[in-house]
Amino acid sequence: MESATPESPATAIAFERRPETYRHWKLSFEGPVATLAMDVQEDGGLRPDYRLKLNSYDLGVDIELADAIQRIRFEHPEVRAVVITSLKERVFCAGANIFMLRGSTHAWKVNFCKYTNETRLAIEDASAHSGIKFIAALNGICAGGGYELALACDEILLVDDGNSAVSLPETPLLGVLPGTGGLTRVVDKRKVRRDLADCFATIAEGVKGRRAVDWRLVDAVHPTSRFKEHVARRASELAAQSDRPRGEPGIALGPLDPVVTESAISYSAVQLELDRDKRVATLTVSGPTGPQPSTADGIVSMGDRFWPLRAFRELDDALLRLRFNEPAIGTVVVKTSGAAADVLALDATLLAHQDHWLVREIIHFMKRTLKRMDLTSRSFFALIEPGSCFAGSLFELALAADRSYMLDDPEQPNTIALSAMNGRSLTMSNGLTRLATRFLATPDVVAELLAGNEPFDGQAALDAGLVSFAPDELDWDDEVRLAIEGRAALSPDALTGMEANLRFAGPETMETKIFGRLTAWQNWIFIRPNAVGEKGALTSYGSQSRPEFDFGRT
Amino acid sequence: MESATPESPATAIAFERRPETYRHWKLSFEGPVATLAMDVQEDGGLRPDYRLKLNSYDLGVDIELADAIQRIRFEHPEVRAVVITSLKERVFCAGANIFMLRGSTHAWKVNFCKYTNETRLAIEDASAHSGIKFIAALNGICAGGGYELALACDEILLVDDGNSAVSLPETPLLGVLPGTGGLTRVVDKRKVRRDLADCFATIAEGVKGRRAVDWRLVDAVHPTSRFKEHVARRASELAAQSDRPRGEPGIALGPLDPVVTESAISYSAVQLELDRDKRVATLTVSGPTGPQPSTADGIVSMGDRFWPLRAFRELDDALLRLRFNEPAIGTVVVKTSGAAADVLALDATLLAHQDHWLVREIIHFMKRTLKRMDLTSRSFFALIEPGSCFAGSLFELALAADRSYMLDDPEQPNTIALSAMNGRSLTMSNGLTRLATRFLATPDVVAELLAGNEPFDGQAALDAGLVSFAPDELDWDDEVRLAIEGRAALSPDALTGMEANLRFAGPETMETKIFGRLTAWQNWIFIRPNAVGEKGALTSYGSQSRPEFDFGRT
């Protein structure tokens, strides 16, 4: 079912970028308005078998975009509006590169779409929580993933030049779905009527001008001569509504510099050890060490060395490397190491200053990283052992895990603890905290648990429903070993689907719709012969031959 | 990707059944309690290549179940509680037959799961709206689809005999997901903690006794000696809460007797014409003819000849035949024929008597049939032409369609009209009416439209947003023809996914989760080599060879 020549980049993907070396974007600043201009280098793809024409993109382009959004949040607190536009003539963005998709494995396509979805959601998160509004200034044709990027912005302005249209040509041209939340955002975010959305998503050439406004696909169209002026005006109007600080300096996000060996990736506070024979990784997060700041100024001074920011940046990077570079690792054992009291003290510091712009950014970043874990299609088993520090925000790792095992041995003190961070800040994609999702059946329990101040030993944690199992010393080794071995033996596809369904009980949001409903359909279509078979639409695109379909409906 | 020997039954499937000729269920009545006992005949499958051992089931078994639920609602208004149990020794139900699944095409598996899901939801609909409570009396092992049937009931009672367990062994044994809503109902309906659900869904042998209660998988366990007594007691307790009528006779649901030819299925009020060359069907619903009752007694007297019930039963049957017997028909043109005033008069009659038990059943059945249309993976285009009667409840057909085209010609009067039925009764799976879903962007419009009493001509309907397009006489033929031809040329898989994402904007419910998220993942897994490939788990089950997985995670 895979494409004839599936390829991944020959070397492992790294996810760190610096604006100075961006190849595809120009990031500039003018007072409270940042401009992020797309200028994709045709020969700058991650693989040599495609050229990134017409501002089409691959993962490398999106990694730079994600980096830019992140740096605007942390390094530029003065920015209150971001204009996303293009430096190409008459082209905003042609979407994900089709030849890249065609030459990619199924797993690569799926991971690529997941990552680009997370980047779009990071834009919406910045708009919802950081006082940064985004304008898509579509100064040329805007197709597929290009329009999906626009959909992630707060406003979409389209040039009215008789030619520039927005479009989702995936279904008519490629026989697949728009892969980055497009269908969901069209009907759920922009509330386009479903019959108009149906037409729109089947018209390869898209919709332009007045009709694009009437159908709610864009917010306004402006003639070429006045386009920049209108964009600038809306950017300053949106910037004026922001609550971001004035006159405060940002902090620099320095390189993470992990030590990468054949079997491990080691950061300052995170370690990922890989046992490829067993298809199991061990992910260990170490708690804070040394003195920690207790004031907002102290946090700003520490900058990217402040433990919560550093540890979660490292965790985020480790999860991404795991996803893209280690597809055969199916199970991840999650551990922590350190002093619970220190984690809890930092949680208290964070909450005491949560209205400070930087602390706000740190907390939302922790939240996004934990969401990245929820959305990582690997089985996570948390092992809670003596010397661990599953407390407060780090206990979220155990809550995010598919199961948790806690050693219950009176002779080896071993506890977990909650903090107020578990009660509201670190919400999942479904809009609930992990505690609220865990206790859907007994919602009152959440407040009771959060009101307590005592740590929980194994038996208490088990009784409270905070861990899955609490074996004693005698059973521990065997029970844990059998659980991990058993997991590693199951069908990876069935596990991916099972976890995607069990992890997000409770309410649905646009976010869970995108990752649940839309992604799943997209994955299905991405392995159907009508798309990727020898005569499928994705395979045939750009060649002389037309696709041939098996017209049986499923 | 299909299984080595995919097969569908050689003859077309018919969906009508009568209790007198059930092969797999015994339906009995004792006062307000009905008992539906599963006793699947091993040699009673729809195909000869599998045997339905241990109360495992195929589509034929589920068609009888759906028929029984329907007849209890219409023919037995005295029933207030239904006990679902088994006549087999020590076995409640082993779930969907694995050898049937293995020998089925991908499309058959998907349609089978969709139908069984709809049957489970019909049980929950009867519980929520008809005053009929369901008890799953698990008097033996209950695996996979058997447990999913139990999950659809209001209460699950399990015999505590040291052996009988509930289980979802699909992932560990077959490398697929439970196909009938199991994962969603475990965490969302029964609110089982996700880590316990994770364990449960990977333990092939399942969970029994006290632990099954502790994990919320069942409501109670009782020893064999007292099991029947406990079931009977709970059944009468639940029956006592019902608002169903006392001493009123039911109505008989007679056969539909369609005339089936090579190119058409003709019922009394519904006609389905098939153009297999063009892969297009025309579905025409004719409005009421002759005198109609205006009292509840009159409706009871007409029974199954009462037009709303008859027309929607025929529509339901036509949709099911289309799904299973006509996979290559990708586009359905929806038409109506008759007098709008007559439809509107019947809508008024229905609403005037909506608290009468039979009228209540009829309205909920109309609702379920329209949901069946929403969930049918074919493109529906409504054509609103002179002589049509897209009014009130029949206008729902246009609202359910992916697009609607209305002829706008001053010389040929052609109107649509709304009724109060469009305002509340006929909700979609997302819990909203089709009007509310259509106007998510401008919710106030719904009340304004419903308040008006005037019919809409083409231009007025277009202006109000009630139809997609209103071409004039000059453009009509070409525009409609091109739309239908264009649709029929697109990838059927991409259309299925696109429609599934566009049709259900707005809130999500357990129902939309099952059909969106869960079904899509299930479909994906159902075509993965790890399940259905030569060495996949589903292929290998029951043979000497163990499955071999590609362990790459997606």
Side-chain angles (χ1 to χ4, degrees), chain B residues 357-420:
Chain B
W357 77 268
L358 176 58
V359 178
R360 175 168 83 174
E361 289 303 340
I362 292 171
I363 293 173
H364 283 297
F365 177 64
M366 293 165 77
K367 175 192 74 181
R368 291 199 301 284
T369 300
L370 289 163
K371 284 187 188 184
R372 187 100 84 185
M373 182 171 163
D374 295 333
L375 290 168
T376 296
S377 63
R378 311 297 165 97
S379 302
F380 291 97
F381 286 4
L383 298 192
I384 304 170
E385 298 169 288
S388 67
C389 56
F390 283 100
S393 49
L394 279 194
F395 184 60
E396 291 290 321
L397 297 175
L399 292 171
D402 297 290
R403 300 183 199 171
S404 51
Y405 292 81
M406 183 168 181
L407 177 67
D408 181 36
D409 177 11
E411 298 187 12
Q412 302 182 68
N414 184 29
T415 58
I416 59 168
L418 300 177
S419 81

Side-chain angles (χ1 to χ4, degrees), chain B residues 249-328:
Chain B
I251 64 158
L253 297 177
L256 299 177
D257 290 330
V259 176
V260 179
T261 67
E262 179 57 25
S263 63
I265 306 172
S266 304
Y267 306 82
S268 72
V270 170
Q271 175 136 22
L272 184 69
E273 291 165 289
L274 306 159
D275 184 338
R276 294 194 186 84
D277 288 343
K278 293 189 174 161
R279 301 190 301 276
V280 174
T282 302
L283 176 71
T284 306
V285 180
S286 303
T289 52
Q292 299 295 327
S294 60
T295 63
D297 282 350
I299 294 170
V300 173
S301 300
M302 278 199 90
D304 69 349
R305 291 170 300 124
F306 183 47
W307 176 85
L309 177 56
R310 194 184 66 210
F312 277 78
R313 283 181 73 207
E314 293 172 355
L315 176 58
D316 201 49
D317 194 66
L319 289 170
L320 288 171
R321 287 171 183 257
L322 183 71
R323 281 190 192 169
F324 280 90
N325 302 334
E326 300 294 339

Side-chain angles (χ1 to χ4, degrees), chain A residues 207-279:
Chain A
V207 174
K208 64 190 174 187
R210 191 67 228 165
R211 175 172 262 195
V213 179
D214 290 343
W215 286 18
R216 304 178 63 91
L217 298 168
V218 307
D219 293 285
V221 289
H222 298 293
T224 311
S225 59
R226 300 186 56 202
F227 189 67
K228 281 191 181 170
E229 171 196 333
H230 277 287
V231 169
R233 184 173 53 75
R234 276 310 286 156
S236 25
E237 285 169 5
L238 289 175
Q241 302 166 17
S242 174
D243 65 351
R244 296 205 95 194
R246 290 185 190 279
E248 299 219 23
I251 64 156
L253 297 177
L256 299 177
D257 291 329
V259 177
V260 180
T261 67
E262 180 56 27
S263 64
I265 306 172
S266 304
Y267 307 81
S268 72
V270 171
Q271 175 136 23
L272 185 69
E273 292 165 288
L274 306 159
D275 185 337
R276 295 194 185 84
D277 289 343
K278 292 188 173 160
R279 300 190 301 276

Side-chain angles (χ1 to χ4, degrees), chain A residues 496-527:
Chain A
T496 290
M498 185 187 88
E499 290 157 4
N501 280 282
L502 295 181
R503 287 179 184 172
F504 302 96
E508 295 265 342
T509 61
M510 192 184 73
E511 218 168 309
T512 59
K513 271 193 183 184
I514 288 172
F515 288 116
R517 173 186 297 266
L518 184 61
T519 298
W521 283 109
Q522 170 79 344
N523 292 357
W524 176 70
I525 293 162
F526 263 155
I527 45 170

